């Protein structure tokens, strides 16, 4: 019994020894920053984050690493392994050769705080710039109606765990430092989520073009390559946004068609029988008046009410 | 952002090609550079050559639709010069090829997490390259060209008024098939048929547009593969017809 309990708490070593070459630096210490080698013995299923925890426990208790779930769900342990942006918790040690050191460095794009920890707060400031989801008024019975086919596309984008690996690898931010002009791929798929949403009422296309820097993206697809959630950021999110912006600003035929054939109002889905009004339901008219009187977020000058597609 | 005003040393700094990647990241851009350059050189030479676009019932895709230019009396003008700018523009503004040449020719960046070429001020597709937004117009022309190309395939089966088939027809068919797959998997086509709709359940013809969008989306996953295969098959198709036309090889008659 004792042996069995020991085997569940102490992972069995595979005997393979790996060297982790980790960048050690402290933003508070001027001129600091160097690679240090640590040797770890691996066990089956070990990931790089496990190895770093092992180093923290036995060799370098002051080694800083941000982590939380260790299951690829929280997006905290983003770093660069052998130069590639990856989650530390989703990268198995067995994917490396034991005879070469595994180089672990912090994300390049963000200011370094300590060792593998960077300051990603810029991303949260960018998020605040984007007008949030602003749905149309509820139907008369207090419900919203949409079909699965309407939201298939945006469900893919909702898988984002905000690890910011896409932001880290995007050369517009990483090499050209256009963070003041360009929101980055993570927020472009957020914008795609909003723009493709069947209930949202804001038209953010002018804002995307003029303020959020959609035109900076030259679709080199690195964001898609590094996404641990396998979101097809470029093809399913950014390119459709570019096409939507082109509809509005770069397509003379569409412009002419809009002038000649103004769009009609959306056809509302029928109220399904047997659905009781929601308890807090207000009339559509009352909600519409409320939205017009005081929108959830005052639209920025470049945000307009969206006309039905 | 990382190296601005920071007192701490960083493991990797800005600069073309600077990276900690250990894999052969340069192979992809180099292969892309080589193949695209070879294709551009080949088509340019063929465009200026001005002859051997036709043999028997076969017509090279580089000169389809065929417009006779000898009678026009304009020096250096060839049938291919009148045709190639249109498919050329479609490929140049294609969302896949943009990635390919921004990486391999522009080095912006050469590969993921590899230092990009430093430019005075990076503008992306905002200033000079804003014309890339006209890709949809190149698509409209490309769709029209597909009609010409399939017509050429049907015409290649007519030998002196009789139905027949040579190896050239097979090559032309493959060219038409891959060009069709490449064109119909285009991102702009995906947007055109239904991608612009926000609510399929409420939009006019919503179900049809969703079905079309879903179908094109399935093709779109392989857009890169279709782009490369169709590029190579176009060159091979032209090379075959030229080789037959100059007598270097004999066309194999299947029936």
């Amino acid at each position: 019994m004792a042996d069995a309990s020991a085997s569940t708490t102490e992972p069995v070593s595979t005997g393979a020894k790996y060297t982790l070459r980790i960048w050690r630096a402290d933003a508070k210490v001027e001129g600091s920053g160097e690679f240090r080698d640590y040797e770890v013995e691996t066990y089956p299923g070990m990931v790089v984050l496990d190895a770093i925890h092992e180093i923290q426990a036995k060799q370098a208790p002051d080694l800083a690493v941000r982590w939380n779930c260790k299951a690829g769900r929280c997006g905290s342990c983003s770093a660069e392994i052998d130069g590639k942006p990856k989650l530390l918790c989703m990268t198995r040690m067995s994917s490396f050769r034991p005879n070469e050191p595994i180089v672990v460095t912090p994300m390049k794009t963000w200011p370094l705080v300590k060792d593998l920890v960077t300051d990603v707060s810029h991303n949260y400031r960018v998020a605040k710039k984007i007008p949030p989801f602003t749905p149309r008024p509820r139907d008369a019975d207090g419900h919203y109606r949409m079909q699965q086919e309407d939201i298939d596309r945006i469900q893919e984008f909702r898988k984002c765990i905000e690890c910011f690996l896409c932001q880290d690898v995007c050369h517009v931010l990483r090499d050209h430092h256009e963070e003041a002009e360009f929101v980055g791929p993570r927020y472009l798929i957020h914008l795609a989520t909003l723009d493709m949403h069947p209930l949202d009422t804001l038209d953010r296309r002018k804002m995307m073009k003029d303020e959020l820097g959609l035109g900076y993206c030259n679709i080199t697809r690195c964001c898609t390559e590094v996404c641990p959630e396998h979101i097809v950021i470029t093809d399913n999110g950014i390119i459709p946004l570019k096409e939507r912006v082109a509809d509005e600003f770069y397509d003379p035929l569409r412009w002419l068609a809009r002038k000649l054939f103004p769009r009609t109002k959306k056809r509302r889905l029928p109220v399904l029988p047997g659905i009781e009004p929601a308890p807090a339901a207000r009339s559509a008219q009352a909600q519409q008046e409320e939205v017009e009187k005081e929108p959830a977020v005052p639209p920025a000058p470049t945000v307009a009410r969206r006309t039905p597609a | 952002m990382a190296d601005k005003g920071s007192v701490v040393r960083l493991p990797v700094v800005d600069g073309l090609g600077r990276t900690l990647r250990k894999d052969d990241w340069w192979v992809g851009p180099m292969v892309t550079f080589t193949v695209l350059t070879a294709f551009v050189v080949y088509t340019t030479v063929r465009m200026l050559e001005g002859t051997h676009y036709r043999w028997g019932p076969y017509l090279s895709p580089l000169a389809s639709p065929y417009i006779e230019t000898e009678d026009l009396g304009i020096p250096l003008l060839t049938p291919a010069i009148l045709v190639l700018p249109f498919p050329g523009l479609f490929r140049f503004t294609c969302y896949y090829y943009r990635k390919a040449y921004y990486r391999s020719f522009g080095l912006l960046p050469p590969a993921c997490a590899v230092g990009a070429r430093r430019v005075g001020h990076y503008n992306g597709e905002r200033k000079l390259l804003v014309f890339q937004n006209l890709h949809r117009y190149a698509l409209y022309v490309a769709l029209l060209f597909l009609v010409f190309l399939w017509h050429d395939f049907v015409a290649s089966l007519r030998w002196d008024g009789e139905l027949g088939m040579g190896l050239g027809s097979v090559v032309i068919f493959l060219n038409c098939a891959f060009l069709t797959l490449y064109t119909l998997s285009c991102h702009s086509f995906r947007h055109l048929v239904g991608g612009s709709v926000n609510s399929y359940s409420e939009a006019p013809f919503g179900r049809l547009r969703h079905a079309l969008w879903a179908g094109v989306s399935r093709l779109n996953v392989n857009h890169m593969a279709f782009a490369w295969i169709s590029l190579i098959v176009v060159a091979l198709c032209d090379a075959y017809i030229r080789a037959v036309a100059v007598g270097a090889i004999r066309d194999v008659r299947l029936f």
Side-chain angles (χ1 to χ4, degrees), chain A residues 212-232:
Chain A
L212 305 178
L214 179 63
Y216 278 100
C217 172
N218 67 344
I219 50 173
T220 42
R221 286 184 171 77
C222 290
C223 48
T224 304
E225 286 186 22
V226 302
C227 179
E229 287 294 310
H230 307 294
I231 301 169
V232 188

Side-chain angles (χ1 to χ4, degrees), chain B residues 34-54:
Chain B
T34 306
V35 176
L36 284 182
T37 303
F39 181 80
V40 170
V41 169
Y42 175 79
T43 50
T44 305
V45 169
R46 286 289 287 137
M47 193 168 67
L48 298 174
E49 188 180 16
T51 184
H52 306 311
Y53 298 126
R54 316 183 75 164

Side-chain angles (χ1 to χ4, degrees), chain A residues 253-262:
Chain A
L253 280 183
R254 284 238 181 191
W255 174 84
L256 191 64
R258 279 198 299 272
K259 292 290 175 196
L260 294 176
F261 311 106

Side-chain angles (χ1 to χ4, degrees), chain B residues 3-203:
Chain B
D3 62 350
K4 278 182 181 172
S6 175
V7 294
V8 70
R9 293 177 63 231
L10 298 168
V12 61
V13 294
D14 292 342
L16 178 60
R18 287 183 183 270
T19 184
L20 293 172
R21 282 180 62 168
K22 295 175 178 175
D23 58 336
D24 299 328
W25 58 264
W26 46 271
V27 172
M30 185 171 278
V31 169
T32 303
F33 181 88
T34 306
V35 176
L36 284 182
T37 303
F39 181 80
V40 170
V41 169
Y42 175 79
T43 50
T44 305
V45 169
R46 286 289 287 137
M47 193 168 67
L48 298 174
E49 188 180 16
T51 184
H52 306 311
Y53 298 126
R54 316 183 75 164
W55 182 84
Y58 303 154
L59 173 60
S60 163
L62 299 189
S64 176
Y66 192 80
I67 302 163
E68 190 57 71
T69 54
E70 278 184 18
D71 301 339
L72 298 174
I74 302 171
L76 297 177
L77 186 67
T78 67
I81 285 179
L82 294 176
V83 167
L84 283 180
F86 298 101
L89 188 68
F90 181 55
R91 289 197 187 254
F92 188 83
T93 57
C94 164
Y95 283 102
Y96 167 68
Y97 282 112
R98 275 145 79 175
K99 170 214 164 180
Y101 63 73
Y102 285 142
R103 281 198 192 187
S104 57
F105 288 79
L107 307 175
L108 289 167
C112 302
V114 176
R117 182 169 58 87
R118 300 300 300 272
V119 288
H121 179 71
Y122 174 78
N123 283 308
E125 297 187 332
R126 291 167 65 250
K127 305 280 183 183
L128 185 65
L129 293 172
V130 77
F131 75 90
Q132 303 277 30
N133 288 297
L134 295 176
H135 181 52
R136 57 187 59 189
Y137 287 94
L139 166 72
Y140 304 150
V141 179
L143 289 169
L144 179 66
F145 271 56
L146 282 183
V147 177
F148 296 136
L149 289 167
W150 280 108
H151 170 266
D152 295 340
F153 167 67
V154 173
S156 76
L157 301 172
R158 209 177 300 132
W159 294 76
D160 299 325
E162 300 281 318
L163 183 67
M165 190 179 214
L167 185 57
S169 295
V170 176
V171 177
I172 291 172
F173 173 78
L174 288 175
N175 180 52
C176 290
F178 283 113
L179 280 176
T180 302
L181 288 170
Y182 170 57
T183 308
L184 298 187
S185 61
C186 163
H187 293 83
S188 287
F189 189 64
R190 187 188 186 202
H191 179 75
L192 178 74
V193 298
S196 61
V197 177
N198 292 325
S199 180
Y200 294 105
S201 58
E202 295 178 325

